[in-house]
Amino acid sequence: MNRLILSVMSLALVCVADAQAPTPSAETRPFRMGFTGFVPAYTKEGVDSTKAFCRKHADFMAHHIEGAAWTEMHSGEPLPAKLLDSWKSKRGRAPDGGKTFLALSPGRGELKVCDNCAPLAKDLKSRGYGDAEVIATYVQWCQKAIDYFKPDWLVIGIEMNEVMKSNPAAWSGYLKLHEEARKALKKDHPALPIAASFSLHTLFKGGDAAWKEWQRLDAGNDFVAVSYYPFLSAERLRPIEWLLERADGRTKPIAFVETGDAAEVLPMPKAKVTIQGSPAKQRDYFDYLLTLAERRRFSFVVSFIHQDYDELWETIKKDAPELFMAWRDCGLIDEKGRERPALKIWDQWLSRKAQP
């Protein structure tokens, strides 16, 4: 009965939002659509096919960069050539004329070093998020990345609500880092929307208490940055409904900064779980999400994986945690490049021109 009442309330809220929103046009959409450019294999073919796919099936590009060049930024050294090469490759995948979303992260619980950068300097290892030098260094890193990628939207913390659960002692320090970094970046980029993203399935599990704690960070953010994969929640679409019932879900711009759904059944022996994916579930999820994106006028939707990464997984599985396999079959095309039904749904929406 309680679930029925919540569902009726959710429907009422959506109806109110629909009444306030402009009537959608069959020729346009209010949101952008894009990918991260995650490659299905560490090969030239994998990079080239990713670039071609993103240019054909997106009007928007997401650059997802975990960690920072802490040592280089702290010492004033130039960024490593390999890092800049990777940035150049990322930027080259963007569709012509498309807008850009940039996601950066200091690490989820401890300072994380970005790929192709020097190890964390000894004098930084003992410092937490809230340390003044750490904050200043992270601001420099964010500024470097902004100058290079020139984003239209920026996240300066990826799925940072995970820190609330995995490392509560670091949470207060991160709140300080986020707020001071956001204010510093806003001085130079007042029109740039800035936020931190959250993993919705984890926030949903924490309920209203977790949401209230997250508002300590999110209150000053310019948009609601959502990371969500329905196969990670037993209730699939319910967490999205729950989000839209919260105050920020009704009043702030929403962006699904990373999402996707499994299209195959995937056993994970170590975790003793099986992801019950299927092409039909994936198609229905994107149909639901993109329809909702129009109705609620989302800013953008990012499909994190465009192609299954079976080949990449075979390359890294000896050293990677099993969890890294969970998203393997979330592509809109499979490992052999065959299109899935969800891609048809995606392209139907993409054929509409994005409103300015």
Side-chain angles (χ1 to χ4, degrees):
M1 181 60 71
N2 289 340
R3 175 59 53 79
L4 177 60
I5 292 171
L6 286 173
S7 296
V8 171
M9 290 174 63
S10 177
L11 178 60
L13 289 171
V14 169
C15 289
V16 170
D18 289 350
Q20 295 174 344
T23 302
S25 165
E27 289 76 37
T28 62
R29 54 185 153 80
F31 59 95
R32 293 275 172 166
M33 304 170 64
F35 303 94
T36 62
F38 186 92
V39 296
Y42 289 149
T43 62
K44 184 179 185 302
E45 181 182 357
V47 172
D48 290 347
S49 65
T50 295
K51 179 179 178 179
F53 187 93
C54 292
R55 284 176 167 266
K56 181 179 179 180
H57 297 280
D59 62 3
F60 167 85
M61 196 69 198
H63 302 300
H64 188 102
I65 302 171
E66 293 270 8
W70 294 104
T71 297
E72 290 86 350
M73 291 291 94
H74 189 245
S75 64
E77 298 174 7
L79 293 177
K82 286 186 177 181
L83 175 69
L84 293 176
D85 286 345
S86 72
W87 282 13
K88 182 178 179 181
S89 178
K90 285 177 180 291
R91 196 168 61 179
R93 299 167 202 167
D96 294 336
K99 291 194 175 184
T100 300
F101 163 62
L102 176 63
L104 305 173
S105 175
R108 301 175 210 182
E110 58 185 24
L111 303 185
K112 179 178 174 60
V113 174
C114 185
D115 290 344
N116 299 310
C117 294
L120 192 65
K122 289 183 179 180
D123 62 339
L124 289 174
K125 286 184 178 180
S126 60
R127 300 173 188 264
Y129 287 135
D131 179 86
E133 287 193 42
V134 167
I135 294 171
T137 301
Y138 191 59
V139 169
Q140 291 179 53
W141 167 251
C142 291
Q143 187 61 64
K144 282 278 188 181
I146 292 170
D147 291 345
Y148 190 90
F149 289 104
K150 297 177 172 54
D152 299 284
W153 295 272
L154 175 68
V155 152
I156 56 173
I158 298 171
E159 295 181 337
M160 294 309 297
N161 65 308
E162 299 291 343
V163 178
M164 290 162 46
K165 178 181 177 182
S166 64
N167 192 349
W171 177 241
S172 60
Y174 179 71
L175 289 174
K176 182 178 180 181
L177 179 147
H178 177 82
E179 182 60 17
E180 294 196 17
R182 187 183 67 82
K183 287 181 178 179
L185 295 171
K186 276 289 188 180
K187 288 180 181 179
D188 292 330
H189 308 279
L192 178 62
I194 299 176
S197 72
F198 57 84
S199 56
L200 179 55
H201 76 282
T202 302
L203 200 64
F204 174 70
K205 286 180 182 178
D208 288 343
W211 177 262
K212 183 178 180 180
E213 183 63 25
W214 177 252
Q215 295 314 295
R216 295 178 62 196
L217 178 149
D218 203 45
N221 286 345
D222 297 312
F223 62 101
V224 179
V226 186
S227 169
Y228 188 57
Y229 301 88
F231 63 85
L232 294 177
S233 174
E235 300 190 59
R236 285 190 61 81
L237 302 183
R238 175 60 193 147
I240 299 176
E241 296 170 356
W242 177 84
L243 168 65
L244 298 180
E245 292 162 4
R246 309 301 103 184
D248 279 6
R250 300 194 304 272
T251 59
K252 285 186 179 182
I254 295 174
F256 271 61
V257 299
E258 56 175 287
T259 193
D261 199 10
E264 296 181 19
V265 175
L266 177 63
M268 302 186 69
K270 293 180 181 179
K272 297 181 180 179
V273 298
T274 298
I275 295 173
Q276 298 294 339
S278 74
K281 282 184 176 180
Q282 185 192 55
R283 176 203 62 212
D284 291 349
Y285 173 65
F286 276 101
D287 189 24
Y288 164 84
L289 183 64
L290 297 175
T291 300
L292 184 64
E294 178 183 54
R295 192 166 67 226
R296 297 300 296 267
R297 304 189 68 78
F298 289 2
S299 296
F300 58 86
V301 174
V302 175
S303 176
F304 197 93
I305 304 296
H306 76 284
Q307 180 174 3
D308 291 0
Y309 56 90
D310 296 58
E311 184 176 346
L312 176 62
W313 175 248
E314 290 302 312
T315 302
I316 68 173
K317 67 180 182 180
K318 289 183 179 180
D319 301 313
E322 185 187 57
L323 178 63
F324 286 11
M325 181 174 60
W327 295 267
R328 189 192 69 186
D329 302 319
C330 288
L332 300 185
I333 56 178
D334 69 12
E335 70 277 10
K336 295 183 179 179
R338 295 173 296 198
E339 296 184 4
R340 291 197 168 110
L343 181 59
K344 183 177 180 180
I345 298 293
W346 180 272
D347 283 345
Q348 285 173 347
W349 282 98
L350 185 69
S351 67
R352 301 184 182 191
K353 185 178 180 181
Q355 296 171 355

